[in-house]
Amino acid sequence: MKILFINNDGGGFADQIDVADGTTVRQLFDQRVPHSKPEHYLIRVNRQPAAADQPLQPGDRVSVTPTKIEGAVLGTGTGTVHRPALESIDRGQGRLAS
């Protein structure tokens, strides 16, 4: 059966794929995102949160979106997110500061 699989990890992509009848959300995740854990993703079927054992139906729209961004570290309560790999921005000049 065909479903729409949307992977929002990294660059992201969407594609119509064939899956076997009876394939569950967890089985699809394990096949398509084999080196990650489902608890690090928001997984939705037809824009609704999905249970791991939910069987997929023809025409379902499955999206996988990471809840953690690699390298991001939460700030100290100021509402900012710091990314250690990036240089700070010199706001006065609108350029990267070294």
Side-chain angles (χ1 to χ4, degrees):
M1 72 177 157
K2 283 208 177 278
I3 65 165
L4 176 63
F5 180 68
I6 303 167
N7 185 341
N8 292 312
D9 201 3
F13 66 88
D15 199 9
Q16 292 279 341
I17 61 171
D18 285 309
V19 296
D21 288 344
T23 300
T24 65
V25 170
R26 178 59 189 252
Q27 290 168 332
L28 179 68
F29 182 88
D30 290 344
Q31 292 168 8
R32 296 292 170 161
V33 193
H35 302 294
S36 283
K37 298 178 181 178
E39 57 268 17
H40 295 165
Y41 291 81
L42 175 60
I43 303 169
R44 294 181 179 258
V45 175
N46 301 321
R47 298 187 173 128
Q48 299 297 319
D53 62 348
Q54 178 177 332
L56 298 172
Q57 302 296 319
D60 276 349
R61 175 188 189 270
V62 180
S63 63
V64 176
T65 305
T67 56
K68 296 183 176 184
I69 299 173
E70 194 71 33
V73 179
L74 291 178
T76 57
T78 61
T80 60
V81 175
H82 301 280
R83 296 176 191 230
L86 300 178
E87 297 175 323
S88 63
I89 296 176
D90 178 356
R91 295 177 197 272
Q93 299 297 316
R95 58 183 164 78
L96 291 177
S98 39

